[in-house]
């Protein structure tokens, strides 16, 4: 019994344990469940508040060093501004998926909306894409190797690996390839047809910049600089609409008085792939402590910015940051400050440089003004004239007037009237051209000037397009020679070229593989006519002859200058109303505008339209001024290139990007005669007392060589007298004597070797030393007799002539000229002080005396050509020594005018070198040099003369001997 009770109790206890255990487990399960639910809720809250973070290390750009003149006047500096950067973030891909589109389409949409926002606030995207849409067609803004590099980047290869077809790709073909791909596997930017060509080009510019930056880790691409406060606020308010867009504080490069210094200072921009490789290779080769460049760095592209890159470029800083999925920086956790670049001081005097440039422009304008004629004749060889119809046409030819605007919906009445007349004329011209090609086939020599120009244009156009395969054409072929000599028609040439496989037919719509000459010719004519239909350059030829025949009047074109805001009708109300009412003729109106410099020689791009002035310190070799005209605004090329402006500069016929002082070469003409004098005196073929008789023509050689004074003659002369009157015959004889061998027989090679020896002593066998890109000099290697007067094949830049005359002025210290004064770091410590190197010209003192005396007599002697010209400053106590020179390059154009000089004569301080290509006469160059001396030595009558903004119309008349 007791046993049973015990057993039952044990069972009961066991069941209770089980029950309790079950209860416990149930309670625990409930607790776990509640905790699980709680975690889910809390987790959801955490997820809602979770922010994606990614750690990045970014470079912080350093401030570039300033550029100053010798007196500390700032020429280039940095300004704080706000820039817009952009990168393709994960958020864009996410939104593309959400919207059911591809990533490229979404990216294009964001970029387009950014462009619209900026333009609404009158800001602009950076537009340095090297293709522009102008005059109804796509055009490159790059040439030669730079263009090939761009094409190679587009195709993802190197320039050396480009196929022939890729190299020949037109701007439109590259544009279409980037917009739509190749129609096969390559999609490229996939910019759909909802965007216009202009809009697509804007999007493409940004997409291409992103494409170039694709290999750089977290380095957003700057797509707009110096944006307004309105754009800044709008983007911040609408940040969610623009994933990948960030506003950043930036350093903007600014240039003061840009047109005066831009060819010297240059500009900066994003480093190219080629520059990146070259710079980094140089850093490694030199084991330099300098940091290597990355693809987003800014470097000097031209001028001092490029040449002094190593000094101006600072040291980058570094930041460690966290960014969100939109690319927005959330937190900066670590930073290293950048170090600013060094300041570069130039040898220039800012005020002198500005004065020299302005005076140069005024002098060139004065020459143009004095040679204008209302007639159609170009005058004679000795007195070229500039017909006014050429001035009117130059306004269209050099794009001062935009002829494409004549057909715009907002064109003025005058523009519409001109365009209507043009359309009628063009229709007639095209009909006659087609008739000439198909039926008439008149030999070129019998066509009038107008249609001869049209046919030559067609030939050039097809050659440029390689339809006429230039590398296949046999230049010695009888038919080609006949074509060049205008003995046959263009049609005859075409048919012969077709038979000889000189024509590329790949662009023609040939229906089958069996085609004959006539079928190809018909397709060639069809292709030619289609090309001429929308060819802006061809249209200009039509305008040329319409203006010449007065079908378009000078008055119409002058009024259009106001319609297109080239001139301001409100500011110029009096002249505008006189022109409208016929109270002033278009001819007188244009003369007035040229005189006032409201229409400049650079805009007209006629002869002359360019020149240079160099002022050197003869005792140090420092360059005090180096003015080259025309110039450009480097503010529009720096930081990022304004492609439209750059295209305008490239197409400007006055070549504003060419530094005339450093890169434009001319024969020195009679300015070379001092070297010939030194050679003759030092080689003892003449003495200071030797007399040579000039009879106006030098017939010792065949063919005879004339003196510039022929049919007159200078008679008996010594060396200093020969320099004074610039007698060619005297120096012909010196050149002849220099060429005599030991037997007394003339050998031109011997004479040329001696001329080279002495030209080299004065630095003419090498570049000048100036720290800018410079063309190589050329000492003549042909005809010792004519080389002795600066003809032959002599060819030098103004900078090289400036070193030569500086050496003459200081009695033989031949400096490597410099424009660098010193470099100072950001703590004010001088780390470079430039002292020009020099070599010594060792010649007899009597030789120096002879050439100095001769140069003095050019300006002050009784027979010197510049005696009257310099009389006003001579009366004020300043005596100048100088030498004139003229050089003929093209018989159909005026001579170049040159003048080399120094002052004061008794104790030289500065040398002034002036070169005016196609400047009619050396007297024009000498007159400009005189103005520089007046300014430098403070001889101007009053301050008003210095600031008078009018052309120098007196003394710019082209008179005076050489």
């Amino acid at each position: 019994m007791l046993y049973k009770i015990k057993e039952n109790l044990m069972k009961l206890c066991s069941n209770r344990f089980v029950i309790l255990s079950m209860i416990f487990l149930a309670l625990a399960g409930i607790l776990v469940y509640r905790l699980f639910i709680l975690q889910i809720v809390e987790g959801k809250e955490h997820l809602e508040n979770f922010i994606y973070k990614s750690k990045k290390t970014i470079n912080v750009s350093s401030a570039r060093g300033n550029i100053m003149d010798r007196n500390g006047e700032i020429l280039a500096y940095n300004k704080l501004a706000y820039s817009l950067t952009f990168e393709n973030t994960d958020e864009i891909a996410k939104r593309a998926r959400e919207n059911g589109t591809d990533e490229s389409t979404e990216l294009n949409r964001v970029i387009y909306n950014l462009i619209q926002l900026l333009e609404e606030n009158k800001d602009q995207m950076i537009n340095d894409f090297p293709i522009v849409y102008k005059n109804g067609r796509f055009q490159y803004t790059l040439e030669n190797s730079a263009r090939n590099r761009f094409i190679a980047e587009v195709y993802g290869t190197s320039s050396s690996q480009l196929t022939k077809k890729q190299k020949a790709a037109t701007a439109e073909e590259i544009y279409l390839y980037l917009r739509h791909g190749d129609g096969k596997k390559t999609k490229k930017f996939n910019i759909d047809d909802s965007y216009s060509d202009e809009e697509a080009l804007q999007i493409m510019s940004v997409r291409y910049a992103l494409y170039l930056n694709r290999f750089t880790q977290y380095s957003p691409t700057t797509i707009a600089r110096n944006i307004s406060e309105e754009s800044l606020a709008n983007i911040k308010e609408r940040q969610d609409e623009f994933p990948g867009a960030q506003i950043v504080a930036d350093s903007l490069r600014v240039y003061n008085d840009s047109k005066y210094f831009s060819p010297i200072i240059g500009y900066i921009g994003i480093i190219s792939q080629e520059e990146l490789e070259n710079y980094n290779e140089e850093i490694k080769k030199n084991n330099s402590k300098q940091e290597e460049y990355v693809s987003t760095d800014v470097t000097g592209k031209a001028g001092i910015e490029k040449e002094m890159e190593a000094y101006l470029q600072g040291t980058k800083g570094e930041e460690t940051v966290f960014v969100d999925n939109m690319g927005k920086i959330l937190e900066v956790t670590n930073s290293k400050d950048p170090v600013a670049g060094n300041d570069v001081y130039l040898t220039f005097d800012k005020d002198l440089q500005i004065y020299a440039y302005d005076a140069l422009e005024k002098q060139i304008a004065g020459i143009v003004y004095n040679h204008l004629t209302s007639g159609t004749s170009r005058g004679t060889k000795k007195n070229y004239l500039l017909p006014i119809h050429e001035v009117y046409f130059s306004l269209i030819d050099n794009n001062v007037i935009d002829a494409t605007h004549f057909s715009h919906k907002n064109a003025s009445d005058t523009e519409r009237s001109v365009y209507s007349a043009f359309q009628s004329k063009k229709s007639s011209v095209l009909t006659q051209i087609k008739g000439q090609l198909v039926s008439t086939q008149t030999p070129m020599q019998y066509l009038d000037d107008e249609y001869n120009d049209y046919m030559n244009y067609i030939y050039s156009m097809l050659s440029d397009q390689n339809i006429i395969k230039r590398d296949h054409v046999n230049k010695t072929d009888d038919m080609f020679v006949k074509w060049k000599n205008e003995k046959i028609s263009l049609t005859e040439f075409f048919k012969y070229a077709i038979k000889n496989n000189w024509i590329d037919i790949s662009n023609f719509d040939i229906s089958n593989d069996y085609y004959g000459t006539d079928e190809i010719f018909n397709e060639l004519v069809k292709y030619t006519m289609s090309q001429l239909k929308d060819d802006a350059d061809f249209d200009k030829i039509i305008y040329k002859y319409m203006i010449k025949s007065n079908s378009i009047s000078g008055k119409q074109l002058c009024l259009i200058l106001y319609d297109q805001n080239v001139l301001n009708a409100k500011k110029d109300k009096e002249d505008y109303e006189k022109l409208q009412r016929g109270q002033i003729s278009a001819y007188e109106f244009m003369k007035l505008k040229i005189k006032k410099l409201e229409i400049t020689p650079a805009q007209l791009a006629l002869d002359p339209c360019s020149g240079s002035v160099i002022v050197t310190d003869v005792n140090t070799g420092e360059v005090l001024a180096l003015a080259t005209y025309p110039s450009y605004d480097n503010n529009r090329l720096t930081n990022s290139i304004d492609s439209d402006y750059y295209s305008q500069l490239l197409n400007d016929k006055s070549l504003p990007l060419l530094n005339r002082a450093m890169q434009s070469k001319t024969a020195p003409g009679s300015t070379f005669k001092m070297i010939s004098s030194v050679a003759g005196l030092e080689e003892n073929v003449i003495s200071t007392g030797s007399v040579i008789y000039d009879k106006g023509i030098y017939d010792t050689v065949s063919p005879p060589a004339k003196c510039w004074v022929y049919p007159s003659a200078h008679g008996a002369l010594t060396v200093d007298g020969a320099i004074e009157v610039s007698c060619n015959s005297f120096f012909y004889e010196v050149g002849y004597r220099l060429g005599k061998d030991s037997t007394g027989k003339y050998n031109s090679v011997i004479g040329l070797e001696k001329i080279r020896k002495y030209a080299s002593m004065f630095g003419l066998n090498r570049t000048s030393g100036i720290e800018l890109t410079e063309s190589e000099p050329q000492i003549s290697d042909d005809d010792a007799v004519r080389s002795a007067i600066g003809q032959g094949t002599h060819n030098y830049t103004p900078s090289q002539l400036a070193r030569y005359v500086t050496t003459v002025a200081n009695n033989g210290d031949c400096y490597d000229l410099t424009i660098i004064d010193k470099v100072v770091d950001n703590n004010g410590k001088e780390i470079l002080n430039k002292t020009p190197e020099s070599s010594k010209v060792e010649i007899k003192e009597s030789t120096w005396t002879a050439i100095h005396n001769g140069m003095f007599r050019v300006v002050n002697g009784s027979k010197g050509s510049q005696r009257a010209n310099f009389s006003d400053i001579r009366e004020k106590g300043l005596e100048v020594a100088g030498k004139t020179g003229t050089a003929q390059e093209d018989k159909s154009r005026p001579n170049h005018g040159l003048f080399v000089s120094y002052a004061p004569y008794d104790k030289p301080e500065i040398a002034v070198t002036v070169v005016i290509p196609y400047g009619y006469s050396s007297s024009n160059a000498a007159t400009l040099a005189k103005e520089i001396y007046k300014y430098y030595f403070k001889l101007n009558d009053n301050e008003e003369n210095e600031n008078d903004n009018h052309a120098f119309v007196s003394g710019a008349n082209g008179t005076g001997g050489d």
Side-chain angles (χ1 to χ4, degrees):
M1 183 74 173
L2 289 171
Y3 173 78
K4 288 280 187 180
I5 293 171
K6 182 179 180 181
E7 184 179 10
N8 287 335
L9 285 171
M10 289 180 68
K11 286 181 179 178
L12 179 62
C13 290
S14 176
N15 288 338
R16 288 180 65 187
F17 177 78
V18 171
I19 291 169
L20 288 171
S21 296
M22 290 177 65
I23 292 170
F24 175 77
L25 289 171
L27 291 171
I30 291 169
L31 181 61
V32 169
Y33 175 74
R34 292 187 65 184
L35 288 172
F36 177 70
I37 296 300
L38 184 61
Q39 283 182 330
I40 290 174
V41 172
E42 289 178 348
K44 185 176 180 181
E45 290 175 357
H46 282 301
L47 285 171
E48 287 175 352
N49 294 322
F50 174 76
I51 298 176
Y52 169 86
K53 287 185 178 182
S54 176
K55 187 178 180 181
K56 307 278 186 181
T57 300
I58 60 174
N59 288 325
V60 180
S61 298
S62 60
R64 197 170 179 84
N66 295 327
I67 301 175
M68 327 271 205
D69 84 339
R70 68 189 300 113
N71 302 310
E73 294 278 350
I74 296 178
L75 305 177
Y77 68 99
N78 308 299
K79 181 179 80 172
L80 178 65
Y82 289 100
S83 294
L84 175 63
T85 67
F86 189 79
E87 62 176 329
N88 188 4
T89 65
D90 294 338
E91 182 66 19
I92 291 175
K94 177 186 171 186
R95 293 187 184 188
R97 290 192 298 271
E98 291 172 351
N99 297 331
T101 61
D102 61 87
E103 184 178 342
S104 195
T105 299
E106 182 66 18
L107 180 58
N108 293 336
R109 185 189 68 78
V110 173
I111 292 169
Y112 176 74
N113 289 339
L114 271 173
I115 293 169
Q116 297 306 300
L117 183 151
L118 290 172
E119 289 185 345
E120 285 171 9
N121 295 316
K122 297 182 179 178
D123 290 324
Q124 291 183 331
M125 305 289 275
I126 291 172
N127 183 18
D128 53 8
F129 187 60
I131 292 177
V132 294
Y133 187 72
K134 196 169 185 179
N135 296 331
R137 61 182 177 176
F138 294 95
Q139 301 173 31
Y140 288 113
T141 61
L142 299 175
E143 296 179 331
N144 305 322
S145 60
R147 180 185 296 182
N148 285 340
R149 286 195 299 272
F150 164 63
I151 295 172
E153 286 169 344
V154 168
Y155 287 115
T157 185
S158 63
S159 298
S160 61
Q161 296 299 312
L162 285 171
T163 65
K164 186 176 180 181
K165 184 176 180 181
Q166 287 173 333
K167 279 185 179 179
T170 65
E172 183 171 7
E173 287 170 340
I174 293 294
Y175 163 80
L176 291 172
Y177 174 74
L178 287 174
R179 181 168 187 172
H180 299 303
D182 59 5
K184 300 174 185 176
K185 292 182 180 180
T186 307
K187 292 292 185 183
K188 280 301 178 184
F189 302 152
N190 198 25
I191 305 172
D192 64 52
D193 293 333
S194 65
Y195 302 105
S196 68
D197 284 335
E198 290 86 350
E199 290 168 343
L201 203 55
Q202 287 180 307
I203 295 169
M204 192 176 294
S205 177
V206 178
R207 290 294 305 271
Y208 183 71
L210 293 173
Y211 170 73
L212 291 181
N213 200 24
R214 62 195 183 280
F215 297 125
T216 305
Q217 183 181 12
Y218 189 62
S219 187
T221 301
T222 301
I223 61 173
R225 293 186 188 276
N226 199 25
I227 63 172
S228 64
E229 291 184 5
E230 291 79 7
S231 290
L232 189 152
N234 289 164
I235 292 170
K236 284 188 174 181
E237 287 170 7
R238 298 163 56 188
Q239 183 72 53
D240 288 347
E241 297 178 37
F242 307 116
Q246 285 288 323
I247 303 294
V248 297
D250 199 3
S251 178
L252 193 72
R253 196 67 161 168
V254 180
Y255 302 108
N256 291 328
D257 302 303
S258 61
K259 73 175 180 179
Y260 302 106
F261 294 94
S262 56
I264 296 102
I265 291 178
Y267 51 92
I268 62 173
I270 296 294
I271 193 169
S272 69
Q273 186 61 35
E274 183 182 33
E275 289 168 332
L276 180 69
E277 293 169 1
N278 290 343
Y279 277 129
N280 287 342
E281 184 180 339
E282 193 70 21
I283 289 170
K284 290 175 183 176
K285 188 171 70 176
N286 296 331
N287 293 317
S288 173
K289 294 180 180 179
Q290 184 181 352
E291 294 175 312
E292 289 195 13
Y293 288 85
V294 297
S295 63
T296 54
D297 281 340
V298 168
T299 62
K301 294 288 184 177
I304 289 299
E305 292 279 28
K306 179 180 179 180
E307 299 301 325
M308 300 298 286
E309 168 68 20
Y311 289 101
L312 291 165
Q313 183 73 264
T315 304
K316 291 191 288 285
E318 191 175 271
E319 287 183 347
T320 302
V321 301
F322 284 94
V323 299
D324 64 13
N325 62 328
M326 301 274 286
K328 182 179 179 181
I329 296 175
L330 303 173
E331 183 182 0
V332 178
T333 62
N334 193 25
S335 66
K336 172 187 167 187
D337 291 336
V339 179
N342 305 296
D343 293 338
V344 174
Y345 286 76
L346 305 182
T347 59
F348 293 113
D349 180 297
K350 175 184 173 182
D351 294 338
L352 179 62
Q353 174 77 7
I354 291 173
Y355 183 85
Y357 182 93
D358 286 340
L360 178 59
E361 182 177 51
K362 291 174 186 179
Q363 182 67 0
I364 295 170
I367 299 169
V368 172
Y369 179 93
N370 285 330
H371 288 84
L372 274 177
T373 175
S374 58
T376 58
S377 170
R378 299 205 83 235
T380 64
K381 182 179 177 181
K382 289 189 176 182
N383 186 29
Y384 285 100
L385 297 174
L386 183 55
I388 191 63
H389 70 82
E390 292 187 20
V391 174
Y392 297 145
F393 172 61
S394 71
L395 297 173
I396 290 178
D397 192 36
N398 203 32
N399 304 310
V400 178
I401 288 175
D402 180 5
T404 63
H405 191 265
F406 297 171
S407 59
H408 284 200
K409 61 182 180 181
N410 61 343
S412 68
D413 290 342
T414 307
E415 288 176 298
R416 282 194 287 269
S417 175
V418 168
Y419 187 65
S420 176
F422 167 76
Q423 284 182 303
S424 176
K425 172 70 173 177
K426 184 171 182 178
S427 176
S428 171
V429 166
L430 291 177
T431 299
Q432 291 192 54
I433 287 175
K434 187 173 183 180
Q436 182 62 235
L437 290 172
V438 174
S439 306
T440 313
Q441 302 178 28
T442 306
M444 292 289 287
Q445 62 183 329
Y446 299 121
L447 292 174
D448 62 22
D449 289 345
E450 181 177 354
Y451 280 85
N452 189 292
D453 278 355
Y454 294 144
M455 294 301 169
N456 275 312
Y457 180 82
I458 291 170
Y459 176 85
S460 297
M461 175 189 74
L462 296 176
S463 293
D464 290 342
Q465 296 177 2
N466 214 34
I467 299 297
I468 298 174
K469 297 186 284 190
R470 287 168 292 189
D471 55 345
H472 283 58
V473 175
N474 181 357
K475 303 295 192 298
T476 61
D477 186 286
D478 184 55
M479 284 295 280
F480 181 80
V481 173
K482 285 182 178 179
W483 159 252
K484 280 299 183 185
N485 292 330
E486 301 193 337
K487 301 296 183 184
I488 59 174
S489 66
L490 184 56
T491 299
E492 289 176 274
F493 173 78
F494 277 164
K495 290 186 174 181
Y496 186 81
I498 291 168
K499 289 178 181 177
N500 286 273
N501 193 32
W502 295 352
I503 303 294
D504 181 358
I505 64 173
S506 61
N507 287 326
F508 301 161
D509 185 19
I510 303 295
S511 58
N512 56 62
D513 293 335
Y514 303 99
Y515 39 79
T517 300
D518 289 341
E519 184 178 3
I520 296 173
F521 174 74
N522 290 336
E523 287 299 323
L524 179 59
V525 172
K526 182 180 175 182
Y527 175 84
T528 298
M529 300 311 295
S530 69
Q531 292 293 299
L532 295 179
K533 185 178 178 182
D534 296 309
D535 189 317
D537 291 328
F538 175 73
D539 290 350
K540 286 181 178 180
I541 304 176
I542 298 175
Y543 278 117
K544 172 183 173 181
Y545 284 98
M546 290 184 74
I547 292 167
K548 190 173 183 179
S549 65
N550 208 35
S551 300
I552 296 174
S553 70
K555 180 179 179 179
Q556 286 177 304
L557 294 171
C558 291
L559 288 171
I560 289 172
L561 289 172
Y562 289 105
D563 294 337
Q564 295 193 1
N565 296 315
V566 178
L567 299 175
N568 190 311
K570 290 183 179 179
K571 292 182 179 179
D572 197 23
K573 185 177 179 182
E574 183 179 352
D575 291 344
Y576 175 61
E577 290 180 350
K578 283 183 179 180
L579 179 67
Q580 273 189 319
R581 295 168 184 162
Q583 294 174 330
I584 184 173
S585 69
Y587 171 69
E588 290 298 331
F589 173 85
M590 188 55 64
K591 286 194 73 173
L592 180 63
K593 295 299 143 186
I594 292 170
K595 183 177 181 180
K596 289 182 176 181
L597 296 176
E598 292 171 16
I599 295 294
T600 67
Q603 288 176 301
L604 298 178
L606 298 169
D607 291 333
C609 67
S610 65
S612 59
V613 177
I614 301 176
V615 183
T616 57
D617 182 327
V618 302
N619 298 306
T620 66
E622 294 179 337
V623 178
L624 304 178
L626 189 150
T628 172
Y629 180 86
S631 185
Y632 60 94
D633 182 2
N634 50 352
N635 286 301
R636 297 181 67 179
L637 301 184
T638 203
N639 305 303
S640 60
I641 286 181
D642 179 337
S643 286
D644 289 333
Y645 180 62
Y646 189 58
S647 175
Q648 176 188 325
L649 294 176
L650 289 177
N651 291 307
D652 191 326
K653 295 179 183 297
S654 70
L655 306 179
L657 291 173
L658 180 67
N659 186 329
R660 290 317 203 288
M662 302 297 297
Q663 296 168 298
S664 183
K665 296 195 293 187
T666 63
S670 293
T671 63
F672 192 79
K673 287 174 179 173
M674 285 83 76
I675 289 178
S676 298
S677 299
V678 171
L681 291 166
E682 293 298 302
E683 293 294 322
N684 297 312
V685 299
I686 60 170
S687 67
T688 56
S690 297
V691 174
I692 295 174
Y693 190 84
D694 167 39
K695 53 185 181 181
I697 190 166
Y698 186 74
D699 53 10
T700 305
V701 294
S702 182
K706 295 178 181 177
C707 185
W708 68 268
V709 78
Y710 181 82
S712 297
H714 290 116
L717 295 167
T718 56
V719 64
D720 51 354
I723 293 174
E724 176 186 10
V725 298
S726 198
C727 177
N728 288 346
S729 295
F730 183 97
F731 291 100
Y732 289 145
E733 176 62 18
V734 171
Y736 186 82
R737 293 182 187 183
L738 288 170
K740 286 184 177 181
D741 62 19
S742 57
T743 67
K745 184 179 179 181
Y746 172 70
N747 183 334
S748 180
V749 173
I750 294 174
L752 289 168
E753 287 175 353
K754 291 175 181 174
I755 288 172
R756 169 172 286 276
K757 171 185 173 182
Y758 290 94
S760 299
M761 289 169 63
F762 285 86
L764 291 179
N765 64 332
R766 55 197 184 276
T767 52
S768 67
I770 294 173
E771 298 87 350
L772 295 171
T773 301
E774 184 173 2
S775 300
E776 290 291 330
Q778 180 178 329
I779 299 175
S780 181
D781 58 2
D782 179 61
D783 191 347
V785 168
R786 288 173 173 82
S787 294
I789 69 161
Q791 293 182 2
T793 57
H794 287 297
N795 228 358
Y796 308 108
T797 63
S799 55
Q800 289 148 18
L801 296 178
R803 172 162 61 182
Y804 153 46
V805 72
T806 297
T807 306
V808 171
N810 65 35
N811 272 28
D813 288 322
C814 187
Y815 289 106
D816 285 345
L817 302 181
T818 183
I819 59 174
I820 303 297
D821 180 14
K822 61 185 177 182
V823 178
V824 176
D825 70 15
N826 53 37
N827 294 315
K829 180 182 177 183
E830 191 174 284
I831 59 175
L832 174 69
N833 192 311
K834 187 72 178 286
T835 302
E837 295 181 0
S838 66
S839 57
K840 190 69 177 177
V841 178
E842 300 286 357
I843 57 178
K844 298 189 290 282
E845 190 61 36
S846 59
T847 299
W848 285 121
T849 300
I851 61 173
H852 285 309
N853 190 37
M855 292 178 71
F856 176 83
R857 289 170 65 175
V858 169
V859 179
N860 306 282
S862 61
K863 296 179 180 178
S865 63
Q866 300 308 307
R867 177 180 172 81
N869 195 2
F870 281 76
S871 61
D872 53 343
I873 63 174
R874 186 166 54 249
E875 289 169 1
K876 294 179 179 180
L878 181 66
E879 292 182 324
V880 175
K883 183 69 193 79
T884 53
T886 58
Q888 185 183 75
E889 184 175 322
D890 184 337
K891 291 184 178 180
S892 66
R893 302 172 72 177
N895 291 333
H896 303 314
L898 301 90
F899 187 68
V900 296
S901 60
Y902 63 88
Y905 172 69
D906 57 347
K907 194 176 181 181
E909 293 180 26
I910 63 170
V912 178
T913 300
V914 178
V915 178
I916 304 178
Y918 308 106
Y920 286 82
S921 163
S922 55
S923 289
N924 290 327
T927 299
L928 176 54
K930 181 184 71 172
E931 296 301 322
I932 303 298
Y933 285 119
K934 286 167 68 176
Y935 176 84
Y936 185 86
F937 290 105
K938 297 179 172 54
L939 300 177
N940 283 307
D941 292 330
N942 54 60
E943 292 296 319
E944 290 181 5
N945 288 342
E946 296 179 22
N947 299 315
D948 184 22
N949 193 31
H950 282 67
F952 295 147
V953 297
S954 60
N957 53 20
T959 61
D962 185 26

